[in-house]
Amino acid sequence: MTVRTVLRGARWPGDVAMQDGRIVAVGSIEPLPGDRVVDVAGDVVTAGLVNTHHHLFQWATRGRAVDSDLFGWLTTLYPLWQRLGPEDVHAAAVVGLAQLALTGCTTAADHHYLVPRGDDSVFDRIADAGREVGIRIALARGSMDLGESAGGLPPDSVVEDRDAILESTAAVADRLHDGARVQVTVAPCAPFNVTPELMRESAALARSLGLRLHTHLAETVDEERDCLARFGRRPVDLLDELGWIADDVWVAHGIHFDDAEVARLGAAGTGVAHCPSSNARLGAGLCRVTDLTAAGVPVGLGVDGAASNEVGGLFAEIRQALYVGRLRGGADALGVRDVLRLATEGGARCLGRDDIGRLEPGARADVAVWPGDDIADMPDPLAALVLGPDRLVRHLYVEGEPVVADGELVGLDLRAARERLAGRARRLWD
Ligand code: ZN
């Protein structure tokens, strides 16, 4: 048994005790001799947040094509991305994950679909970045096999061969997947840069290895048009034919669904990573979050790539989800507890996990402590957290171990990491 840590005196939900990587008690706890007691008087404690969609490598190309829609933005950036090596991606991932940790995230999905020259050691370097920052990674081995010459959107130089993708995906899972700190998933990029054969074979591979599946779906009206033109089907129909409307799949964005499609996704249990800031930034549309959750769809939050969301923090997405949900459905469409649930439990469900995203005895001790001193005047601590000023965590724990303490990352020199990334980013543009 390791030493028990007791977070004492939080305004919400009271005291929290952690031991051996698990939450062991929540409520009113009398510290025992030998406990490590952390005074969190007046603070607000939640489960660590779960980010369900990101492209960490894009931290190296922030701030470009800022007024473009998705396809314009992608075609500007593809040529640059082919120059990214594993060390560029590692530098970007460290800073991106650090930003997530400081904003309360304890588990982050990274959809990495760019493997120039087939060098899949890039996935090892992303996993390294997760270890260096100290948070869990859902490492989505992304892929593209449909280049421009075959009717796809990306230049041929950034796509891979289908057999090589499948072989590499199995090897990456074998090297890195442990299901707890690193969860490898199988993740062809999007309908407009992947062949139906790769989608079908990826699903078969994932199911043979017991891994989950992830892709982009129904993000833009352009995608829907492209899908109708190429296949004569709407994106959900296409994915269904390929075996992807199932409960081991979660999709990014999920905006342009009709009523029948929402019901089908709910019946199948297919999850949606809702990325409200990215959707607003690219003018993609408003996700039907309340309809999706009412239909039984697991919905989590995602910051999306840092080049379509230059902030990269997960905390701000909670409030943004509330705003976007209310813009679509009115003031009573989404409450503060609903959006907090999306950011925690909902995200965990997308990743197929019931061991994280809950502040309850038995769950893994992934815990965020938010400073409460400047919101003490607000009567409801959770409403204050969601609707009050932006904040970074005071403390963050993953598996009961401190990742952020007193507002600082425990194992990382963030300033040095930012300098390293800036140097690498400048080199890309030369
Ligand atoms: Zn994305």
Side-chain angles (χ1 to χ4, degrees), residues 2 14 17 23 51 66 68 81 124 131-132 144 166 182 185 222 250 272 283 292-293 320 363 366 371 373 389 419 425:
T2 57
I23 295 169
N51 183 30
V66 293
S68 296
W81 290 342
D124 302 73
R131 268 188 290 275
E132 287 161 43
M144 303 190 287
L166 294 165
V182 181
T185 65
D222 282 349
W250 88 105
V272 168
L292 289 167
T293 52
Q320 190 73 4
D366 292 7
D373 47 335
E419 279 172 15

Short mmCIF file of all heavy atoms in Angstrom, two decimals, residues 2 14 17 23 51 66 68 81 124 131-132 144 166 182 185 222 250 272 283 292-293 320 363 366 371 373 389 419 425:
data_model
loop_
_atom_site.label_atom_id
_atom_site.label_comp_id
_atom_site.label_asym_id
_atom_site.label_seq_id
_atom_site.Cartn_x
_atom_site.Cartn_y
_atom_site.Cartn_z
N THR A 2 0.52 2.20 -0.83
CA THR A 2 1.25 3.47 -0.82
C THR A 2 0.57 4.42 0.17
O THR A 2 -0.50 4.13 0.69
CB THR A 2 1.22 4.11 -2.22
OG1 THR A 2 -0.13 4.27 -2.62
CG2 THR A 2 1.95 3.24 -3.24
N GLY A 14 -16.15 18.31 -1.23
CA GLY A 14 -15.66 17.99 0.12
C GLY A 14 -14.26 17.43 0.03
O GLY A 14 -13.44 17.92 -0.74
N ALA A 17 -10.01 11.25 -1.14
CA ALA A 17 -8.82 10.45 -0.76
C ALA A 17 -8.43 9.53 -1.92
O ALA A 17 -9.30 8.96 -2.59
CB ALA A 17 -9.12 9.63 0.49
N ILE A 23 -9.24 6.39 -6.55
CA ILE A 23 -9.99 7.19 -5.58
C ILE A 23 -10.56 6.21 -4.56
O ILE A 23 -11.16 5.20 -4.94
CB ILE A 23 -11.11 7.97 -6.29
CG1 ILE A 23 -10.50 8.99 -7.26
CG2 ILE A 23 -12.02 8.66 -5.28
CD1 ILE A 23 -11.50 9.63 -8.20
N ASN A 51 -9.94 14.50 -23.15
CA ASN A 51 -9.98 15.12 -24.48
C ASN A 51 -10.11 14.02 -25.53
O ASN A 51 -9.26 13.14 -25.61
CB ASN A 51 -8.69 15.93 -24.72
CG ASN A 51 -8.73 16.65 -26.05
OD1 ASN A 51 -9.80 17.02 -26.53
ND2 ASN A 51 -7.57 16.85 -26.65
N VAL A 66 -5.82 31.34 -41.28
CA VAL A 66 -6.79 31.53 -40.19
C VAL A 66 -8.20 31.91 -40.67
O VAL A 66 -9.15 31.82 -39.91
CB VAL A 66 -6.30 32.57 -39.14
CG1 VAL A 66 -5.09 32.05 -38.41
CG2 VAL A 66 -6.03 33.91 -39.78
N SER A 68 -9.63 30.51 -43.46
CA SER A 68 -10.09 29.52 -44.44
C SER A 68 -11.14 28.58 -43.85
O SER A 68 -11.22 28.43 -42.64
CB SER A 68 -8.90 28.65 -44.88
OG SER A 68 -7.96 29.43 -45.56
N TRP A 81 3.11 19.94 -43.77
CA TRP A 81 3.09 18.80 -42.85
C TRP A 81 3.98 17.66 -43.33
O TRP A 81 4.49 16.88 -42.53
CB TRP A 81 1.65 18.31 -42.65
CG TRP A 81 0.81 19.26 -41.86
CD1 TRP A 81 1.23 20.27 -41.05
CD2 TRP A 81 -0.63 19.28 -41.78
NE1 TRP A 81 0.17 20.92 -40.49
CE2 TRP A 81 -0.99 20.34 -40.92
CE3 TRP A 81 -1.64 18.52 -42.36
CZ2 TRP A 81 -2.31 20.64 -40.61
CZ3 TRP A 81 -2.95 18.82 -42.05
CH2 TRP A 81 -3.29 19.86 -41.19
N ASP A 124 5.96 6.45 -31.22
CA ASP A 124 6.74 6.25 -29.99
C ASP A 124 7.06 7.60 -29.35
O ASP A 124 7.03 7.75 -28.13
CB ASP A 124 8.05 5.50 -30.30
CG ASP A 124 7.78 4.16 -30.95
OD1 ASP A 124 7.38 4.12 -32.15
OD2 ASP A 124 7.93 3.13 -30.28
N ARG A 131 4.34 10.51 -21.53
CA ARG A 131 5.05 10.13 -20.30
C ARG A 131 5.75 11.34 -19.69
O ARG A 131 5.74 11.53 -18.47
CB ARG A 131 6.10 9.06 -20.61
CG ARG A 131 5.57 7.63 -20.45
CD ARG A 131 6.71 6.62 -20.58
NE ARG A 131 7.22 6.55 -21.94
CZ ARG A 131 6.68 5.78 -22.89
NH1 ARG A 131 5.64 5.02 -22.61
NH2 ARG A 131 7.17 5.76 -24.11
N GLU A 132 6.35 12.19 -20.53
CA GLU A 132 7.08 13.34 -20.01
C GLU A 132 6.14 14.32 -19.32
O GLU A 132 6.46 14.88 -18.27
CB GLU A 132 7.84 14.05 -21.14
CG GLU A 132 9.06 13.25 -21.61
CD GLU A 132 9.55 13.66 -23.00
OE1 GLU A 132 9.61 14.87 -23.28
OE2 GLU A 132 9.87 12.75 -23.80
N MET A 144 -3.78 8.01 -44.14
CA MET A 144 -4.42 8.49 -45.37
C MET A 144 -3.85 7.65 -46.51
O MET A 144 -2.63 7.46 -46.59
CB MET A 144 -4.10 9.96 -45.63
CG MET A 144 -4.49 10.90 -44.49
SD MET A 144 -4.36 12.66 -44.92
CE MET A 144 -2.58 12.90 -44.96
N LEU A 166 -1.60 -0.87 -42.50
CA LEU A 166 -2.17 -1.91 -41.64
C LEU A 166 -1.09 -2.64 -40.85
O LEU A 166 -1.22 -2.90 -39.65
CB LEU A 166 -3.00 -2.89 -42.48
CG LEU A 166 -4.24 -2.24 -43.12
CD1 LEU A 166 -4.81 -3.12 -44.23
CD2 LEU A 166 -5.32 -1.93 -42.08
N VAL A 182 -1.31 4.21 -22.17
CA VAL A 182 -1.32 4.39 -23.63
C VAL A 182 -2.33 3.42 -24.22
O VAL A 182 -2.21 2.20 -24.06
CB VAL A 182 0.07 4.12 -24.25
CG1 VAL A 182 0.02 4.33 -25.77
CG2 VAL A 182 1.14 5.02 -23.63
N THR A 185 -5.51 3.21 -30.76
CA THR A 185 -6.74 3.00 -31.52
C THR A 185 -6.41 3.08 -33.01
O THR A 185 -5.35 3.57 -33.40
CB THR A 185 -7.82 4.03 -31.16
OG1 THR A 185 -7.38 5.32 -31.56
CG2 THR A 185 -8.10 4.06 -29.67
N ASP A 222 -19.17 20.43 -47.24
CA ASP A 222 -18.28 20.03 -48.34
C ASP A 222 -18.04 18.53 -48.33
O ASP A 222 -18.05 17.86 -49.37
CB ASP A 222 -16.90 20.71 -48.22
CG ASP A 222 -16.94 22.17 -48.69
OD1 ASP A 222 -17.96 22.57 -49.29
OD2 ASP A 222 -15.95 22.89 -48.43
N TRP A 250 -15.74 5.87 -32.20
CA TRP A 250 -16.18 7.24 -31.94
C TRP A 250 -15.66 8.13 -33.06
O TRP A 250 -14.57 7.89 -33.59
CB TRP A 250 -15.81 7.73 -30.54
CG TRP A 250 -14.47 8.38 -30.35
CD1 TRP A 250 -14.22 9.70 -30.18
CD2 TRP A 250 -13.18 7.72 -30.23
NE1 TRP A 250 -12.87 9.91 -29.97
CE2 TRP A 250 -12.21 8.72 -30.01
CE3 TRP A 250 -12.76 6.38 -30.31
CZ2 TRP A 250 -10.85 8.44 -29.85
CZ3 TRP A 250 -11.40 6.10 -30.17
CH2 TRP A 250 -10.47 7.12 -29.95
N VAL A 272 -19.41 10.40 -30.30
CA VAL A 272 -19.07 11.63 -31.03
C VAL A 272 -18.15 12.49 -30.16
O VAL A 272 -18.45 12.75 -28.99
CB VAL A 272 -20.35 12.42 -31.39
CG1 VAL A 272 -20.00 13.83 -31.89
CG2 VAL A 272 -21.16 11.68 -32.46
N GLY A 283 -16.11 27.55 -39.10
CA GLY A 283 -17.47 27.78 -39.60
C GLY A 283 -18.13 26.50 -40.10
O GLY A 283 -18.90 26.49 -41.05
N LEU A 292 -28.15 14.21 -29.81
CA LEU A 292 -27.28 13.03 -29.78
C LEU A 292 -27.33 12.35 -28.41
O LEU A 292 -27.51 11.14 -28.32
CB LEU A 292 -25.84 13.42 -30.13
CG LEU A 292 -25.59 13.81 -31.60
CD1 LEU A 292 -24.21 14.47 -31.74
CD2 LEU A 292 -25.68 12.60 -32.53
N THR A 293 -27.18 13.14 -27.34
CA THR A 293 -27.18 12.52 -26.01
C THR A 293 -28.57 11.92 -25.70
O THR A 293 -28.66 10.84 -25.12
CB THR A 293 -26.75 13.50 -24.91
OG1 THR A 293 -27.54 14.68 -25.02
CG2 THR A 293 -25.30 13.87 -25.03
N GLN A 320 -17.61 26.62 -23.96
CA GLN A 320 -17.93 26.78 -25.38
C GLN A 320 -19.02 25.78 -25.79
O GLN A 320 -19.93 26.12 -26.54
CB GLN A 320 -16.66 26.54 -26.20
CG GLN A 320 -16.76 26.88 -27.67
CD GLN A 320 -16.79 28.38 -27.92
OE1 GLN A 320 -16.66 29.19 -26.99
NE2 GLN A 320 -16.98 28.77 -29.15
N ALA A 363 -12.75 4.47 -9.04
CA ALA A 363 -12.24 5.02 -10.31
C ALA A 363 -10.75 5.32 -10.16
O ALA A 363 -10.24 5.49 -9.06
CB ALA A 363 -12.99 6.28 -10.69
N ASP A 366 -7.59 10.12 -11.25
CA ASP A 366 -7.32 11.21 -12.18
C ASP A 366 -8.20 12.37 -11.74
O ASP A 366 -9.43 12.33 -11.92
CB ASP A 366 -7.68 10.80 -13.61
CG ASP A 366 -6.76 9.71 -14.18
OD1 ASP A 366 -5.92 9.18 -13.42
OD2 ASP A 366 -6.89 9.40 -15.38
N PRO A 371 -8.74 26.32 -8.68
CA PRO A 371 -8.76 27.37 -7.67
C PRO A 371 -10.16 27.98 -7.54
O PRO A 371 -10.81 28.25 -8.55
CB PRO A 371 -7.76 28.42 -8.17
CG PRO A 371 -7.31 27.98 -9.52
CD PRO A 371 -7.85 26.61 -9.80
N ASP A 373 -10.88 30.62 -5.13
CA ASP A 373 -10.91 31.85 -4.34
C ASP A 373 -11.64 33.00 -5.02
O ASP A 373 -12.34 33.76 -4.37
CB ASP A 373 -9.48 32.27 -3.94
CG ASP A 373 -8.50 32.22 -5.10
OD1 ASP A 373 -8.75 31.45 -6.06
OD2 ASP A 373 -7.49 32.93 -5.06
N PRO A 389 -14.62 33.07 -14.66
CA PRO A 389 -13.42 33.36 -15.46
C PRO A 389 -12.64 32.09 -15.81
O PRO A 389 -12.70 31.10 -15.07
CB PRO A 389 -12.57 34.25 -14.54
CG PRO A 389 -13.48 34.70 -13.46
CD PRO A 389 -14.60 33.72 -13.35
N GLU A 419 10.29 26.94 -26.30
CA GLU A 419 11.41 27.46 -27.13
C GLU A 419 11.82 26.44 -28.18
O GLU A 419 12.07 26.77 -29.34
CB GLU A 419 12.61 27.82 -26.25
CG GLU A 419 12.45 29.18 -25.60
CD GLU A 419 13.54 29.47 -24.56
OE1 GLU A 419 14.57 28.75 -24.54
OE2 GLU A 419 13.34 30.41 -23.77
N ALA A 425 9.30 25.04 -35.40
CA ALA A 425 8.23 25.59 -36.23
C ALA A 425 8.78 26.59 -37.24
O ALA A 425 8.41 26.60 -38.41
CB ALA A 425 7.17 26.25 -35.35
#
